[in-house]
């Protein structure tokens, strides 16, 4: 409830910022990206906060109460559309699809048709957003489709991270990591773990993470939800290295543990 109340206050700030154009509450400093963060520090922080909230909603409203009667949750979900990060939109669509197929009483054929419809609509939105019109199309024309999808993170990898490795790393860096310069990271979550910790250090890092995070029983649902998060972390950054994101990792773990206790 504390987490939800924080998200509700932030949602109200997002609406106020949008209505009165308070730029200090905006997601991005540059003009061609739209969005209002509220009081979150960065776009990555807000993305992981909202993803955590979507998962909380998934379990609460598929097992306990109707979403239609929970106006505060609807308000928070609606506010997420103003933030303007691809991670939030992707997470909301995928988690909503999972909730639909779990709770809807349609036949398997009808659900399959619904999934196909969502997939085709998603391809249409992707085509319009990244290929036909808008800011991401301009990025695609200038730097390629992958740069538009990954927000230049692939360019960071090729032009900044790999040259830094080539010029500065020794065998010990490959084993245990090689930088104290945060600006040279790729901002691709899983790759950055090995960039900071190296091969041996990265394996140890993920082992310790797995031992502390996966204290719940994995089900088909949790594996699908974790796969959605992993996809977004793979395409984005700050999940493992941000102290703020660590809070949402703990909340996620408690959500899964709470759901396991109820079931």
């Amino acid at each position: 409830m504390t987490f939800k109340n924080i998200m509700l206050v932030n949602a109200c700030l997002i609406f106020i910022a949008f209505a009165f154009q308070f730029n200090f509450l905006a997601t991005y400093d540059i003009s061609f990206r739209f969005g209002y963060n509220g009081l979150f520090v960065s776009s990555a922080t807000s993305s992981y906060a909202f993803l955590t909230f979507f998962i909380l909603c998934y379990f609460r409203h598929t097992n306990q109460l109707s979403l239609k009667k929970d106006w505060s949750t609807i308000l928070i979900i609606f506010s997420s559309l103003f933030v303007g990060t691809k991670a939030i939109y992707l997470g909301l669509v995928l988690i909503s699809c999972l909730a639909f197929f779990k709770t809807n009483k349609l036949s398997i054929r009808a659900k399959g048709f619904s999934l196909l419809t969502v997939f085709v609509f998603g391809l249409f939105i992707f085509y319009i957003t990244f290929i036909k019109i808008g800011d991401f199309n301009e990025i695609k024309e200038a730097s390629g489709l992958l740069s538009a999808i990954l927000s230049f993170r692939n360019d960071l990898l090729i032009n900044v991270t790999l040259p830094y490795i080539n010029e500065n790393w020794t065998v010990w860096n490959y084993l245990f990591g090689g930088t104290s310069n945060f600006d040279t990271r790729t901002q691709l979550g899983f790759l950055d773990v090995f960039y900071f910790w190296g091969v041996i250090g990265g394996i140890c890092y993920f082992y310790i993470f797995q031992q502390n995070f996966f204290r719940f029983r994995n089900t088909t649902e949790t594996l699908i939800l974790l796969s959605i998060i992993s996809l977004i972390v793979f395409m984005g950054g700050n999940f493992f290295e941000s102290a703020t994101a660590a809070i949402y990792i703990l909340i996620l773990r408690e959500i899964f543990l709470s759901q396991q206790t109820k079931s």
Side-chain angles (χ1 to χ4, degrees), residues 62-104:
T62 54
N63 294 328
Q64 294 182 23
L65 39 102
S66 170
L67 181 61
K68 296 179 181 179
K69 298 178 181 179
D70 192 349
W71 65 268
S72 58
T73 293
I74 295 174
L75 191 69
I76 295 169
I77 292 175
F78 184 60
S79 74
S80 72
L81 303 178
F82 288 77
V83 177
T85 68
K86 297 186 290 293
I88 287 180
Y89 299 144
L90 180 61
L92 180 59
V93 169
L94 293 177
I95 294 171
S96 296
C97 288
L98 180 61
F100 172 80
F101 285 101
K102 177 184 177 183
T103 61
N104 201 286

Side-chain angles (χ1 to χ4, degrees), residues 155-199:
D155 296 296
L156 277 173
L157 173 63
I158 295 172
N159 299 322
V160 178
T161 308
L162 291 181
Y164 183 91
I165 290 174
N166 186 55
E167 294 172 7
N168 296 283
W169 277 26
T170 67
V171 63
W172 295 107
N173 297 122
Y174 285 100
L175 293 176
F176 299 108
T179 184
S180 58
N181 186 350
F182 205 63
D183 294 332
T184 60
R185 76 194 195 282
T186 66
Q187 297 184 37
L188 295 168
F190 293 107
L191 290 183
D192 282 341
V193 170
F194 291 103
Y195 181 54
F196 286 121
W197 294 92
V199 175

Side-chain angles (χ1 to χ4, degrees), residues 223-235:
L223 289 175
I224 293 175
L225 290 168
L226 290 172
S227 296
I228 293 172
I229 295 172
S230 297
L231 172 64
I232 292 170
V233 172
F234 179 79
M235 298 172 62

